[in-house]
Amino acid sequence: MRKIAVLLLFVFIGQAAYAQLITGTQSYTDKKKVRGAIISEGIFWAITDGGIFSFNPTDSSYTSFTKADGLSDASLIALTKDVKKNLWVGTPSGIINVFNPETKQVKKILDIYNTGQTQKQINHLSAKGDTILASTDFGLSLINSEDYSFIDTYFKLGSFPSNSKVYCSFYDNRFYLATEAGIAIQKPGATNLIAPESWDTYTTTSG
């Protein structure tokens, strides 16, 4: 079933791009390059270089959302959903857009965007309970999905250089991070993750 759903999504991407060209009712943004996709409540959601689009296989309806509809950026990179089914979308500028599919309202989280970091891109988003994991160009941030407050940000992971770019992260009893320097994994029982010694690190030299 999952394979069929993925195939349907790719078929629809091509159809949606063509439909957008002939209707003339949508913003003319490029949605051919899909950066991420999920299924929520039976609806396909995808982020692209031109915004968000959804496809409902029940009635074959297609909906597009762009910067003109309230998104902070045209180009979108990372996608996940929280426990309330809101879509969390990361951008190259460091802004996180929280999109409510029912109300079509967008909440912009600017904390990463407003940091003094030179590189701020949101590379990956994942959710664990009411916590959102934001993998960025300078570390890992944990965000409370209920009130959008930042719980912690981890800049120094074991022996890796400070502010190493984190490409991807997830939580399964411990935090697992893929970074530009290698893999970082929370040590069993470690609680103060701001401390570098709370992380085991693995590189090509360690196999």
Side-chain angles (χ1 to χ4, degrees):
M1 180 63 187
R2 180 174 295 179
K3 292 181 179 179
I4 295 173
V6 172
L7 288 173
L8 284 173
L9 176 60
F10 281 116
V11 169
F12 181 73
I13 289 170
Q15 294 176 337
Y18 176 72
Q20 180 177 332
L21 288 175
I22 63 173
T23 60
T25 59
Q26 301 291 333
S27 298
Y28 289 100
T29 55
D30 187 356
K31 296 183 178 65
K32 293 191 295 294
K33 183 178 289 186
V34 175
R35 300 284 190 176
I38 59 174
I39 299 176
S40 180
E41 303 296 294
I43 297 176
F44 294 97
W45 291 92
I47 56 170
T48 73
D49 279 344
I52 302 173
F53 72 77
S54 69
F55 173 64
N56 188 336
T58 302
D59 57 10
S60 297
S61 60
Y62 164 80
T63 309
S64 175
F65 305 94
T66 68
K67 192 172 181 179
D69 300 306
L71 297 175
S72 65
D73 299 51
S75 181
L76 307 174
I77 295 178
L79 172 67
T80 193
K81 65 178 178 178
D82 63 22
V83 292
K84 294 182 178 179
K85 312 301 181 184
N86 293 318
L87 303 183
W88 288 61
V89 182
T91 68
S93 66
I95 298 175
I96 297 176
N97 296 265
V98 184
F99 178 75
N100 186 315
E102 292 188 3
T103 65
K104 309 301 186 291
Q105 297 297 307
V106 179
K107 162 70 177 177
K108 298 182 181 70
I109 300 177
L110 304 176
D111 298 62
I112 294 172
Y113 173 81
N114 287 330
T115 65
Q117 300 291 335
T118 303
Q119 303 296 324
K120 309 174 185 182
Q121 180 167 288
I122 311 294
N123 298 309
H124 182 261
L125 293 168
S126 62
K128 180 63 177 180
D130 60 2
T131 301
I132 302 296
L133 284 63
S135 303
T136 74
D137 273 356
F138 57 83
L140 174 68
S141 290
L142 306 184
I143 308 170
N144 187 320
S145 64
E146 293 291 330
D147 60 10
Y148 312 117
S149 63
F150 276 62
I151 301 167
D152 264 322
T153 297
Y154 308 128
F155 301 100
K156 186 71 171 76
L157 307 168
S159 60
F160 292 162
S162 295
N163 303 116
S164 291
K165 180 183 294 186
V166 179
Y167 293 115
C168 181
S169 60
F170 71 92
Y171 182 86
D172 184 10
N173 295 318
R174 291 187 286 165
F175 287 99
Y176 295 80
L177 283 63
T179 81
E180 63 182 343
I183 294 173
I185 303 175
Q186 176 188 352
K187 290 182 178 179
T191 56
N192 179 21
L193 302 188
I194 294 177
E197 58 269 21
S198 295
W199 299 88
D200 287 321
T201 53
Y202 305 88
T203 67
T204 52
T205 57
S206 57

